[in-house]
Amino acid sequence: MSLTTPLAGKLAGLQSSAIRDLLKLTARADVISLAGGLPDAALMPRERIAVAAESALAGAAVLQYTESPGLPALRAVIAARETARIGRTVPVDEVFITHGSQQALSLLAEVLLDPGALVIVEDPAYVGALQVFRAAGARIVAVPLDSDGMRVDVLEDLLIAGERPAVVHTVSNFHNPGGVTLAPERRRRLAELAEAHGFWVIEDDPYGELWFDQPAPDPVASYSPQVIRLSSVSKILAPALRVGWMAAPDRVCRAVELLKQGADLCGSALTHQIAADLLTDTDWLVAHIDSVRQAYRARANALVDAVRTTFTDRVRCTDAAGGMFVWADFTDGTDTSALLPKALEAGVAYVPGAAFAVSDSYRNSMRLCFTTSDEAVLAAAIDRLASAAR
């Protein structure tokens, strides 16, 4: 007997993440994966997390429900960090802790978007944002990236033409998947446009602390309260803590609170306390993040050097100034989706550019992640990719 009881109609247009699906194919021990957007587990501070967990468990309160906006101690820590980052005071009431920053994005879509509302995203786009905005029934329009990040001039042309977005989403630092950073003058102009035209900017910033040679520019939020900032500890501490946050105006946080109460009531007081402990241990945290930066810098340089040396002008790739990704384009028309099965046979994986397209584009592109392999393994991965591409 088959079940014909219907599901919600909004599911019809949704697709599983191509990246998550690809991870299932790259679990083989003989495949070097440049596909997953994962931080290196070997660099995660397990011993320090264990100490923080033991300290937290000394009291029974961390095993109880906590406030829906998050453990007050953690919110105070994040408020101080965001104040220092943005350069203006961020009150504790304007900080909301979520189950990773992806939940923050999902809850914001419910708060800020009605079905059919216009959302502007960068192209290529962060897959998680596309999933959220499609689930919300938004109309999605893409604005291209170049080496200085979002083409804010193209956004301005859309506004002049009469488009009225509810939300503009940007991964401002070390873009996933594009690997580029939004230039300071474009940040200022984006904030000016948000205020002039009354739309929200969601500044998604999980990678901002993973700079290699110089810190990321001042956040877009430095220029306007119309900007909602998202981040998490997943890339600097550990994804398993599932601690993300938004810094947003109080009325947005209170609306998100209503929805979160219906979704999961609250987060984990235990992991919130662990995160608060680690984030307030300033000397240790600075040294830890610096060690992660050094490792990723060496790996990023090794990957970029291998691509440019091996493929010469057949492949163009971004410089890696921070974050976790390099974006690469075949210049000879190679279709990266068609190449992928051959690459897997050769023992290497990547994410085809089409996975990040708002429409049918980036057939000749790919995203390469450099975080989970050392320099020698990354060089071997590019050798395998070259073998598959011959």
Side-chain angles (χ1 to χ4, degrees), residues 6-17:
L7 300 176
K10 67 181 181 180
L11 292 171
L14 300 185
Q15 302 174 359
S16 177
S17 166

Side-chain angles (χ1 to χ4, degrees), residues 213-235:
D213 297 317
Q214 60 182 5
D218 291 339
V220 184
S222 300
Y223 304 108
S224 172
Q226 291 281 117
V227 182
I228 299 169
R229 272 181 54 78
L230 309 185
S231 193
S232 82
V233 302
S234 293
K235 307 305 186 294

Side-chain angles (χ1 to χ4, degrees), residues 205-357:
D205 186 23
Y207 311 105
E209 295 189 74
L210 297 180
W211 49 269
F212 296 159
D213 297 317
Q214 60 182 5
D218 291 339
V220 184
S222 300
Y223 304 108
S224 172
Q226 291 281 117
V227 182
I228 299 169
R229 272 181 54 78
L230 309 185
S231 193
S232 82
V233 302
S234 293
K235 307 305 186 294
I236 61 171
L237 296 177
L241 292 174
R242 304 314 300 136
V243 170
W245 61 86
M246 70 176 72
D250 182 71
R251 66 190 181 99
V252 174
C253 289
R254 301 293 71 79
V256 166
E257 183 173 359
L258 292 175
L259 291 176
K260 185 169 172 63
Q261 287 171 351
D264 63 3
L265 295 180
C266 64
S268 163
L270 176 59
T271 60
H272 289 190
Q273 182 58 53
I274 292 170
D277 186 335
L278 271 59
L279 292 174
T280 52
D281 190 352
T282 307
D283 291 343
W284 170 85
L285 183 65
V286 168
H288 165 68
I289 294 176
D290 189 58
S291 69
V292 175
R293 286 190 196 119
Q294 290 183 38
Y296 287 176
R297 179 194 294 115
R299 296 172 190 184
N301 290 338
L303 178 65
V304 170
D305 289 347
V307 169
R308 291 175 177 169
T309 301
T310 303
F311 286 97
T312 61
D313 59 356
R314 187 182 178 190
V315 174
R316 291 193 308 264
C317 71
T318 55
D319 293 313
M324 298 170 55
F325 306 107
V326 167
W327 183 259
D329 301 297
F330 277 93
T331 60
D332 61 358
T334 296
D335 186 316
T336 54
S337 294
L339 176 62
L340 183 58
K342 298 176 184 178
L344 289 169
E345 288 180 12
V348 63
Y350 56 84
V351 184
F356 306 97

Side-chain angles (χ1 to χ4, degrees), residues 6 16 98-99 102 108 114 117 124 159 166 231 240-241 254-255 306 309 373:
S16 177
T98 55
H99 194 72
Q102 185 68 21
L108 281 173
D114 291 315
L159 295 169
S231 193
L241 292 174
R254 301 293 71 79
T309 301
S373 298

